[in-house]
C-alpha cells in the first residue's frame, strides 16, 4: 500500500510537471504569434500623429508608453508577419465633422511597405494633397475622398505604378493643371474616382482613360470634362461601372459608349445634355446592364422597344427629362422576358407622361416606383395594392382622382415611403384602422382630402411594426378640427411635420416639445393663444398665418442652437422683442412681419451673422435702425410700414454687399440718400417711398449693376442651406418674396421676384434734377419718382429704359418737353406724367397715344393726342390721377 501511495505521488508530480511544461510551450507559441512592429516605423507613426487633430480619439491607442509600444496593435494599423506596416486605415465614417484636421507629415515615407492608405472623410481645411504621397511607390490602394483637400492634384501620383484603386472624390476644390497624361502611368489601375475634381484643362482625359487596360470602374462625375469627339478614339477599356454625371455630355458619347459596354453593369449619365430619343442601342448592346441612370437630360419620346432585352435590369432612372406618351406604352416595352421579373427601382418623375396608371403587378420585384410630377390622370388601380414588395410609392403632383380606402393598403406591409400629395384624392379611412406598414418612415398626403375631422388613425401607426416614422405631411387636407394633443407623441424619430394650410384650431400643442422635430410647419391654420417656448432641436419653424397672441418672451426661454428658419408672421403677437438674438447664431431666415410688435428693434439682431432674409414689416417699431453691419450676407431687408426714424444708415451700402431687396417704405426716415447706397451693386428693388427723405438723387446710382442689366438669370430668388442634426445633414430651399405697390395695389412677388427690378422714391421731399445717370439702369421695370419736388426736364435718354412697364413722374415740378425717345418704350403698361409743368406736343408713338388723357392732365402747356383738341395754354392746373387697373403678378 505504501509503495502504491509513493508511486501515485510520483505520477501526480510527473503529471503536474508535464502540464507546466505544456503551458510554457503554449505561452511561447502564443508569444511568437504576436506581431511586433519595427521601431523606426513606430517612431514615424508617432511623428505623423503629432501633425493631426484627432476629433474622435481614434489615435488614443497610439503612444510611446510601455503598454502601447507595439504599433501593430494600434487602431487603424495593419502589419505584415515580419512587423512592417502595410496598411493605414484612418477614415472618418463615424465622425460627424471629419475624423482628422491638421497636416499629413512626410514621416509616412519611412513606411517602406505601405500598400494601403485611407485618410478619407476628414477635414484638412483646404490644404493641398501632399506631393510626397507620389513617392509611396508600394501603394496599391489610395483613398483620400471627402477629406477637405483643395488645390492641384499632384502629378507625382503618376509614380504609383502599382496603384490599383485611386479615390479622390468629393473634396473641396481639387483640380488638374494641364493635361492628365500622368494618369496613363498607372497601368495597373482598376478603380478610379475623381468625382468633383475640376478637369476642364484635361483635354486628353479621354485618350488617357482608353490607355488603361485594366480599368473597369470609372467615376468622373461633376468634373467639367472638356467636350471631345469620342469617335476618333479606339477604346481598349472594358468597363463594368461608368459614371459621367454632370459633365455636359452630348449624344457624341454614344458610339464610344456602345463600344465599351459589353461588360457594363452600371452606367450613370445623369445631369448631362443628351437629347432626342433614347437609342435602341441601349437594349441591343447593353444586355448586361443592371443599373441605368439618365436623370436630368433632354431626352424625348418613350422607351425604345429594345429595352425589354435588358434581362438583368434592376434600376432604371429617367426622371426630369421630356419623355412623352402614355404610361401604359412605357410598360409595354418593358414587359416580357426577365426585365419585368427583376426590375426593382423605376423613377420616371418630372416628365410629360400622360394617361392612366396601368397594372404593375407583372413587375413582381418592384420595390421603388416614382411617377410624380407627370400628367397622369384617372384613378389609382386597385391592383397596385397587390405589389407586395413595394417599399416606396410616389404618385404626387399628378391629376389622379378618386377614393382610396384602407383596403388598398392591406397588402402593402413593406411600404417605407408613401407620397400621394398634390392630386385630387379622397382618403376614406376609419379612425380605428390599424395601418399594416411594418416600417413606415415617410408619409406625405398633402392635398389629399381627409377632413373635416382630424384623422385619428395616425395614433395607430407603428402597431404592426417599428416606430421609425420620420416625416408626416398632411397639409391642405381640408381638416377643420382640433389636433389631439398626444397624436404623434409615440414617434421618437419624427423630425418633419407639416400640417399647414388647414383650419386646425386650438392652442399650441404640448407634444411639440417632446418630439425632436427638424422641421415644423403649422402655418395657415387657426391656432391661438400664447406660445410658451420653441422646440429646442428644430431647425425650421413656420407658425405664420395663425392667431397666436401674447408676448414674444418665449424666444428667450430656451437655447435653439439648430434654428435656421423662423417665421412668426401674420399673427397677433405684441409687445417689445426681447434682446436675446445673439443665441440665434445659425438663423438664415427671420420673418416677424404683420404682428403688433412695438418698441425699438433689439441691438442684438446685429449679431445674426448668417442671416439672409430679415422681415420686420408692418409692426409698430420706432427709433433708429439698429446697427446690422455684421449681417453681411443679408439679401432681403424688409422694414416697411413701421415708424422708424433718423437717417438711412451709411453701413447699409458699406457692409451689405449682397443686398437684393431693400424696403424701407412708409416710415419716418429723413435726411439725404447716402451715396454709400451706390455700392449695392446687386440691388434689384430699392423701395424708399412714404418717408421724409430730402436732397437729390445721387448720380452714382448708375453703379447699381443688377439694375443696369436687362435680363435676370433666375425668375425666383432662392437659396439652399443645410442644417446639421444628430449627425445628419438636412437640405432646405428657400424661395424669397417681396411686397410691392404696383399699378395702384400691393402684390406679393415670389416665383417671379428675380425678374422684378424697381426703383421707388415716391412721396418724399426729394428735389433737384433727375440725374441722367439714372437712364443707364436699363433693366428697370418700374420707376416711381412721384410726389416729390423734382424739377428740370426729363433726361433725353429715357428711351433707353425699354424694359419699363411702370413709369410714374406725377406731382413734381418737371418742365420742358416730353423727350421724343419716350415713344420708344413700347412695353409701358402704366404711365403717369400728370401735374407737372410739361410743355409742347406729346411725342407721337402708338404707346403714348394709347393712354387715357388723365395721365397728362395738370400740364397746362402740354398739347397733342390724347389730350382734347380744345386744351389751351390758359387751362387751369388740376390734380387728376389715372385709374390703375389691377394686374396679377
Amino acid at each position: 500500500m505504501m509503495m502504491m501511495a509513493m508511486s501515485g505521488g510520483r505520477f501526480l508530480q510527473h503529471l503536474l510537471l508535464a502540464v507546466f511544461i505544456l503551458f510554457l510551450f503554449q505561452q511561447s507559441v502564443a508569444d511568437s504569434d504576436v506581431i511586433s512592429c519595427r521601431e523606426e516605423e513606430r517612431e514615424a507613426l508617432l511623428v505623423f500623429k503629432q501633425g493631426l487633430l484627432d476629433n474622435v480619439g481614434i489615435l488614443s491607442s497610439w503612444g510611446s508608453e510601455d503598454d502601447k509600444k507595439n504599433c501593430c496593435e494600434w487602431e487603424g494599423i495593419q502589419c505584415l508577419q515580419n512587423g512592417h506596416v502595410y496598411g493605414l486605415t484612418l477614415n472618418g465614417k463615424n465622425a460627424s465633422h471629419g475624423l482628422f484636421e491638421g497636416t499629413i507629415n512626410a514621416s509616412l515615407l519611412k513606411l517602406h511597405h505601405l500598400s494601403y492608405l485611407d485618410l478619407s472623410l476628414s477635414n484638412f481645411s483646404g490644404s493641398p494633397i501632399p506631393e510626397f504621397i507620389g513617392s509611396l511607390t508600394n501603394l496599391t490602394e489610395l483613398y483620400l475622398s471627402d477629406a477637405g483637400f483643395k488645390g492641384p492634384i499632384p502629378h507625382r501620383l503618376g509614380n504609383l505604378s502599382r496603384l490599383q484603386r485611386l479615390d479622390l472624390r468629393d473634396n473641396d476644390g481639387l483640380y488638374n493643371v494641364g493635361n492628365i497624361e500622368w494618369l496613363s502611368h498607372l497601368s495597373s489601375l482598376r478603380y478610379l474616382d475623381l468625382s468633383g475634381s475640376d478637369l476642364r484643362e484635361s483635354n486628353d482625359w479621354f485618350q488617357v482613360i482608353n490607355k488603361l487596360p485594366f480599368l473597369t470602374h470609372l467615376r468622373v462625375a461633376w468634373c467639367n470634362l472638356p467636350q471631345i469627339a469620342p469617335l476618333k478614339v479606339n477604346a481598349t477599356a472594358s468597363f463594368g461601372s461608368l459614371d459621367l454625371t454632370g459633365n455636359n455630355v452630348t449624344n457624341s458619347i454614344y458610339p464610344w459608349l456602345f463600344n465599351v459596354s459589353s461588360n457594363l453593369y452600371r452606367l450613370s449619365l445623369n445631369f448631362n445634355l443628351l437629347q432626342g430619343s433614347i437609342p435602341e442601342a441601349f437594349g441591343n448592346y447593353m444586355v448586361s446592364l443592371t443599373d441605368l441612370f439618365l436623370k436630368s437630360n433632354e431626352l424625348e419620346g418613350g422607351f425604345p422597344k429594345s429595352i425589354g432585352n435588358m434581362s438583368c435590369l434592376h434600376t432604371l432612372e429617367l426622371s426630369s427629362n421630356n419623355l412623352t406618351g402614355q404610361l401604359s406604352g412605357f410598360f409595354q416595352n418593358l414587359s416580357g422576358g426577365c426585365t419585368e421579373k427583376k426590375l426593382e427601382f423605376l423613377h420616371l418623375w418630372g416628365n410629360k407622361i400622360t394617361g392612366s396608371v396601368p397594372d404593375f403587378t407583372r413587375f413582381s420585384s418592384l420595390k421603388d416606383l416614382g411617377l410624380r410630377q407627370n400628367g397622369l390622370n384617372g384613378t389609382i388601380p386597385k391592383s397596385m395594392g397587390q405589389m407586395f414588395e413595394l417599399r416606396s410609392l410616389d404618385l404626387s403632383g399628378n391629376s389622379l382622382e378618386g377614393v382610396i380606402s384602407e383596403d388598398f393598403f392591406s397588402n402593402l406591409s413593406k411600404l417605407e415611403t408613401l407620397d400621394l400629395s398634390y392630386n385630387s384624392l379622397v382618403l376614406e379611412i376609419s379612425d380605428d384602422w390599424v395601418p399594416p406598414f411594418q416600417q413606415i418612415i415617410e408619409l406625405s398626403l398633402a392635398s389629399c382630402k381627409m377632413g373635416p375631422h382630424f384623422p385619428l388613425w395616425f395614433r395607430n401607426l407603428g402597431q404592426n411594426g417599428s416606430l421609425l416614422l420620420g416625416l408626416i405631411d398632411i397639409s391642405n387636407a381640408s381638416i377643420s378640427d382640433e389636433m389631439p394633443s398626444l397624436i404623434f407623441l409615440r414617434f421618437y424619430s419624427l423630425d418633419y411635420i407639416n400640417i399647414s394650410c388647414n383650419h386646425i384650431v386650438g392652442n399650441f400643442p404640448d407634444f411639440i416639445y417632446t418630439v425632436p422635430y427638424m422641421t415644423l410647419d403649422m402655418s395657415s391654420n387657426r391656432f391661438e393663444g400664447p406660445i410658451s417656448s420653441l422646440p429646442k432641436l428644430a431647425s425650421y419653424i413656420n407658425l405664420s398665418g395663425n392667431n397666436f397672441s401674447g408676448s414674444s418672451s418665449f424666444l428667450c426661454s430656451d437655447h435653439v442652437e439648430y434654428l435656421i428658419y423662423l417665421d412668426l408672421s401674420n399673427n397677433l403677437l405684441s409687445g417689445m422683442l426681447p434682446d436675446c438674438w445673439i443665441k440665434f447664431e445659425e438663423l438664415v431666415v427671420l420673418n416677424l412681419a404683420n404682428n403688433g410688435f412695438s418698441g425699438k428693434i433689439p441691438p442684438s439682431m446685429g449679431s445674426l451673422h448668417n442671416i439672409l432674409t430679415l422681415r420686420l414689416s408692418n409692426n409698430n417699431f420706432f427709433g433708429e435702425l439698429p446697427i446690422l453691419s455684421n449681417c453681411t450676407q443679408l439679401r432681403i431687408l424688409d422694414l416697411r410700414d413701421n415708424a422708424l426714424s433718423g437717417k438711412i444708415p451709411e453701413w447699409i451700402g458699406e457692409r451689405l454687399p449682397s443686398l437684393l431687396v431693400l424696403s424701407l417704405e412708409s416710415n419716418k426716415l429723413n435726411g439725404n440718400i447716402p451715396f454709400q447706397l451706390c455700392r449695392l451693386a446687386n440691388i434689384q428693388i430699392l423701395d424708399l417711398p412714404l418717408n421724409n427723405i430730402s436732397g437729390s438723387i445721387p448720380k452714382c446710382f448708375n453703379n447699381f449693376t443688377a439694375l443696369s442689366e436687362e435680363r435676370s438669370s433666375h425668375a425666383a430668388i432662392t437659396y439652399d442651406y443645410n442644417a446639421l442634426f444628430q449627425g445628419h445633414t438636412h437640405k432646405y430651399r428657400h424661395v424669397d418674396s417681396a411686397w410691392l405697390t404696383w399699378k395702384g395695389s400691393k402684390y406679393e412677388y415670389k416665383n417671379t421676384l428675380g425678374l422684378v427690378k424697381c426703383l421707388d422714391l415716391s412721396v418724399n421731399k426729394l428735389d433737384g434734377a433727375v440725374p441722367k445717370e439714372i437712364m443707364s439702369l436699363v433693366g428697370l421695370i418700374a420707376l416711381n419718382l412721384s410726389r416729390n419736388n423734382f424739377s428740370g426736364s426729363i433726361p433725353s435718354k429715357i428711351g433707353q429704359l425699354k424694359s419699363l412697364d411702370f413709369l410714374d413722374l406725377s406731382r413734381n415740378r418737371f418742365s420742358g418737353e416730353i423727350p421724343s425717345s419716350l415713344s420708344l418704350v413700347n412695353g409701358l403698361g402704366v404711365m403717369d406724367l400728370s401735374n407737372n409743368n410739361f410743355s409742347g406736343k406729346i411725342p407721337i408713338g402708338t404707346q403714348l397715344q394709347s393712354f387715357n388723357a388723365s395721365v397728362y392732365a395738370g400740364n397746362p402747356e402740354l398739347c397733342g393726342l390724347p389730350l382734347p383738341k380744345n386744351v389751351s395754354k390758359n387751362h387751369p392746373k388740376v390734380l387728376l390721377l389715372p385709374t390703375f387697373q389691377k394686374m396679377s403678378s
Side-chain angles (χ1 to χ4, degrees):
M1 292 288 294
M2 253 175 114
M3 293 185 62
M4 289 180 62
M6 292 175 61
S7 176
R10 292 193 196 96
F11 174 77
L12 183 59
Q13 290 176 349
H14 292 158
L15 180 61
L16 291 173
L17 180 61
V19 170
F20 180 69
I21 292 172
L22 180 61
F23 171 77
L24 291 177
F25 175 76
Q26 290 177 334
Q27 187 65 36
S28 175
V29 171
D31 289 342
S32 66
D33 285 341
V34 175
I35 301 174
S36 297
C37 72
R38 303 299 178 102
E39 178 65 21
E40 181 185 19
E41 296 183 7
R42 186 176 69 86
E43 293 298 328
L45 288 170
L46 289 176
V47 173
F48 169 71
K49 175 186 176 181
Q50 290 175 3
L52 299 177
L53 175 61
D54 184 1
N55 288 325
V56 294
I58 194 173
L59 302 183
S60 59
S61 62
W62 296 28
S64 56
E65 299 89 340
D66 290 340
D67 59 338
K68 297 181 179 180
K69 279 192 174 182
N70 189 358
C71 65
C72 292
E73 296 179 348
W74 293 353
E75 187 168 358
I77 302 299
Q78 294 85 43
C79 291
L80 298 169
Q81 287 292 327
N82 58 13
H84 286 296
V85 174
Y86 77 88
L88 196 55
T89 307
L90 297 173
N91 59 62
K93 291 181 179 179
N94 298 316
S96 59
H97 295 288
L99 183 59
F100 297 120
E101 298 177 57
T103 58
I104 302 174
N105 196 284
S107 63
L108 292 181
L109 289 172
K110 296 183 179 180
L111 307 179
H112 300 295
H113 294 78
L114 191 65
S115 62
Y116 183 102
L117 178 59
D118 185 354
L119 297 175
S120 57
L121 296 167
S122 284
N123 181 16
F124 291 108
S125 303
S127 60
I129 295 175
E131 288 276 348
F132 76 81
I133 290 181
S135 299
L136 298 171
T137 53
N138 282 317
L139 280 180
T140 59
E141 298 185 43
L142 176 60
Y143 302 95
L144 301 177
S145 64
D146 200 7
F149 289 116
K150 186 176 182 179
I153 301 173
H155 288 196
R156 286 179 60 184
L157 294 181
N159 297 333
L160 306 178
S161 58
R162 298 183 181 183
L163 205 61
Q164 298 180 19
R165 298 177 70 88
L166 175 60
D167 188 351
L168 304 181
R169 72 180 187 275
D170 300 335
N171 277 285
D172 290 344
L174 289 179
Y175 57 89
N176 186 72
V177 176
N179 288 338
I180 203 167
E181 189 272 339
W182 60 270
L183 196 61
S184 64
H185 301 293
L186 307 182
S187 56
S188 301
L189 207 59
R190 287 167 167 76
Y191 178 100
L192 175 63
D193 194 341
L194 299 178
S195 297
S197 302
D198 193 339
L199 304 182
R200 71 183 66 199
E201 294 184 11
S202 307
N203 293 309
D204 60 338
W205 73 271
F206 194 79
Q207 291 85 346
V208 170
I209 291 301
N210 279 278
K211 291 179 182 178
L212 299 174
F214 300 108
L215 190 65
T216 58
H217 294 75
L218 174 64
R219 292 192 70 235
V220 281
W222 305 105
C223 285
N224 293 316
L225 294 176
Q227 294 299 308
I228 54 169
L231 275 173
K232 298 179 181 179
V233 180
N234 292 320
T236 60
S238 181
F239 295 106
S241 177
L242 179 61
D243 188 347
L244 299 175
T245 296
N247 283 296
N248 295 322
V249 171
T250 64
N251 294 27
S252 62
I253 198 74
Y254 285 146
W256 171 79
L257 190 61
F258 298 134
N259 190 38
V260 298
S261 62
S262 59
N263 297 315
L264 200 63
Y265 64 84
R266 187 183 190 280
L267 173 63
S268 181
L269 295 173
N270 291 339
F271 299 98
N272 279 298
L273 300 176
L274 301 177
Q275 297 179 331
S277 301
I278 302 172
E280 291 281 351
F282 273 103
N284 294 331
Y285 291 96
M286 298 187 176
V287 292
S288 300
L289 210 61
T290 61
D291 303 294
L292 175 59
F293 300 88
L294 299 174
K295 174 181 177 182
S296 295
N297 280 279
E298 299 171 17
L299 298 170
E300 302 171 352
F303 288 167
K305 292 182 179 180
S306 64
I307 202 165
N309 300 335
M310 295 181 171
S311 58
C312 300
L313 200 61
H314 168 278
T315 299
L316 182 57
E317 170 62 272
L318 285 164
S319 300
S320 193
N321 279 285
N322 296 312
L323 300 179
T324 55
Q326 297 280 310
L327 183 60
S328 56
F330 282 75
F331 283 89
Q332 184 176 353
N333 289 343
L334 271 176
S335 302
C338 297
T339 304
E340 63 183 34
K341 302 298 181 184
K342 292 189 176 182
L343 191 65
E344 295 186 8
F345 181 104
L346 176 62
H347 274 191
L348 298 174
W349 56 263
N351 283 287
K352 300 174 182 178
I353 302 170
T354 56
S356 58
V357 179
D359 184 348
F360 283 92
T361 51
R362 286 181 296 175
F363 296 87
S364 55
S365 297
L366 203 59
K367 295 179 180 179
D368 191 329
L369 178 61
L371 300 175
R372 76 174 186 266
Q373 296 174 357
N374 278 286
L376 303 178
N377 53 34
T379 60
I380 301 175
K382 293 182 179 179
S383 60
M384 187 168 284
Q386 304 301 315
M387 300 178 67
F388 307 106
E389 297 299 321
L390 210 57
R391 266 74 165 175
S392 178
L393 175 61
D394 189 349
L395 301 176
S396 63
N398 284 285
S399 299
L400 300 171
E401 57 187 8
V403 176
I404 296 180
S405 68
E406 54 203 58
D407 293 338
F408 176 82
F409 301 105
S410 58
N411 292 312
L412 301 179
S413 60
K414 295 182 180 180
L415 263 186
E416 298 175 5
T417 300
L418 174 64
D419 194 344
L420 303 177
S421 303
Y422 309 114
N423 285 286
S424 298
L425 298 170
V426 177
L427 267 61
E428 290 187 354
I429 297 176
S430 61
D431 288 343
D432 58 357
W433 178 57
V434 179
F437 315 130
Q438 297 174 1
Q439 194 169 320
I440 192 71
I441 298 173
E442 297 184 9
L443 189 56
S444 300
L445 303 172
S447 297
C448 293
K449 187 175 181 181
M450 289 183 280
H453 300 297
F454 199 93
L456 296 179
W457 55 267
F458 277 108
R459 64 190 174 189
N460 301 324
L461 280 167
Q463 289 193 18
N464 283 317
S466 62
L467 298 173
L468 295 178
L469 187 65
L471 179 150
I472 290 179
D473 187 348
I474 52 173
S475 58
N476 194 29
S478 302
I479 300 172
S480 302
D481 195 7
E482 187 170 357
M483 184 168 64
S485 60
L486 303 179
I487 190 73
F488 300 127
L489 185 61
R490 300 167 58 239
F491 303 108
Y492 55 86
S493 297
L494 193 60
D495 63 9
Y496 181 104
I497 180 169
N498 188 347
I499 56 175
S500 66
C501 301
N502 285 289
H503 295 91
I504 302 174
V505 299
N507 295 323
F508 198 74
D510 291 336
F511 76 89
I512 295 297
Y513 305 117
T514 62
V515 183
Y517 295 110
M518 186 71 185
T519 296
L520 175 64
D521 192 344
M522 297 169 55
S523 62
S524 300
N525 279 288
R526 295 179 179 176
F527 289 104
E528 60 186 9
I531 302 172
S532 56
S533 66
L534 297 175
K536 294 181 182 179
L537 299 179
S539 65
Y540 178 106
I541 298 176
N542 190 347
L543 306 179
S544 64
N546 283 284
N547 295 314
F548 290 119
S549 59
S551 75
S552 57
S553 58
F554 62 87
L555 291 169
C556 291
S557 60
D558 289 303
H559 187 64
V560 280
E561 58 182 307
Y562 299 105
L563 195 59
I564 287 179
Y565 183 106
L566 177 61
D567 190 347
L568 301 175
S569 64
N570 297 290
N571 278 288
L572 303 175
L573 299 169
S574 59
M576 297 179 63
L577 285 178
D579 194 17
C580 59
W581 294 95
I582 193 169
K583 71 176 185 176
F584 291 84
E585 56 186 27
E586 300 298 327
L587 209 57
V588 172
V589 175
L590 176 61
N591 190 351
L592 304 178
N594 302 315
N595 279 284
F597 294 122
S598 58
K600 293 185 176 182
I601 298 174
S604 61
M605 278 197 173
S607 64
L608 300 175
H609 59 272
N610 286 314
I611 198 76
L612 297 178
T613 296
L614 178 60
R615 299 185 182 280
L616 304 177
S617 58
N618 198 20
N619 282 286
N620 298 308
F621 294 116
F622 58 80
E624 295 185 354
L625 272 69
I627 298 176
L628 304 177
S629 55
N630 289 327
C631 307
T632 55
Q633 300 184 60
L634 259 178
R635 297 174 63 173
I636 310 289
L637 179 58
D638 184 358
L639 304 176
R640 61 189 166 81
D641 297 318
N642 282 287
L644 299 171
S645 58
K647 297 180 179 181
I648 298 175
E650 296 176 356
W651 52 258
I652 291 180
E654 293 172 339
R655 299 284 295 166
L656 307 182
S658 301
L659 208 58
L660 302 175
V661 176
L662 175 61
S663 182
L664 301 176
E665 176 185 350
S666 191
N667 279 284
K668 297 180 179 180
L669 300 172
N670 55 48
N672 296 342
I673 299 175
F675 72 88
Q676 286 84 355
L677 286 191
C678 298
R679 300 180 185 178
L680 299 176
N682 296 304
I683 200 73
Q684 290 185 210
I685 297 175
L686 182 58
D687 193 33
L688 306 178
L690 293 160
N691 281 285
N692 296 310
I693 303 170
S694 57
S696 58
I697 299 177
K699 293 182 179 181
C700 57
F701 268 22
N702 61 348
N703 291 332
F704 294 151
T705 305
L707 295 180
S708 301
E709 298 171 348
E710 293 188 35
R711 295 185 179 182
S712 300
S713 55
H714 300 286
I717 295 178
T718 65
Y719 32 90
D720 300 329
Y721 50 93
N722 299 328
L724 185 67
F725 179 72
Q726 295 184 345
H728 300 285
T729 299
H730 295 248
K731 295 184 177 181
Y732 293 92
R733 167 161 289 185
H734 176 69
V735 181
D736 233 316
S737 63
W739 283 88
L740 291 174
T741 301
W742 189 269
K743 301 177 181 179
S745 297
K746 284 193 174 183
Y747 294 96
E748 183 181 24
Y749 289 81
K750 188 170 185 179
N751 294 324
T752 59
L753 181 60
L755 304 177
V756 179
K757 298 183 177 183
C758 172
L759 177 60
D760 191 345
L761 306 177
S762 62
V763 198
N764 278 288
K765 297 179 179 179
L766 295 166
D767 55 25
V770 174
K772 62 180 181 180
E773 287 79 4
I774 294 292
M775 302 306 122
S776 67
L777 304 181
V778 295
L780 275 176
I781 292 176
L783 176 61
N784 192 347
L785 304 179
S786 65
R787 303 191 187 194
N788 280 285
N789 296 310
F790 292 117
S791 58
S793 59
I794 300 176
S796 60
K797 293 185 178 180
I798 193 171
Q800 294 180 174
L801 305 183
K802 294 182 180 180
S803 298
L804 276 182
D805 180 54
F806 180 99
L807 175 64
D808 191 349
L809 304 179
S810 64
R811 290 194 174 188
N812 280 286
R813 293 186 291 136
F814 288 113
S815 59
E817 295 186 351
I818 299 173
S820 59
S821 67
L822 187 59
S823 62
L824 302 176
V825 185
N826 296 320
L828 271 177
V830 171
M831 183 181 74
D832 189 0
L833 304 181
S834 65
N835 300 300
N836 281 286
N837 295 311
F838 292 118
S839 60
K841 191 172 182 180
I842 298 172
I844 299 297
T846 305
Q847 198 71 14
L848 297 183
Q849 272 66 51
S850 67
F851 290 112
N852 188 283
S854 61
V855 307
Y856 302 105
N859 293 284
E861 302 294 323
L862 197 61
C863 62
L865 293 176
L867 289 173
K869 292 183 179 180
N870 60 352
V871 172
S872 68
K873 294 184 178 181
N874 297 320
H875 193 287
K877 182 170 183 176
V878 293
L879 296 180
L880 293 176
L881 295 178
T883 301
F884 293 107
Q885 183 179 4
K886 292 184 179 180
M887 299 178 67
S888 64
S889 61

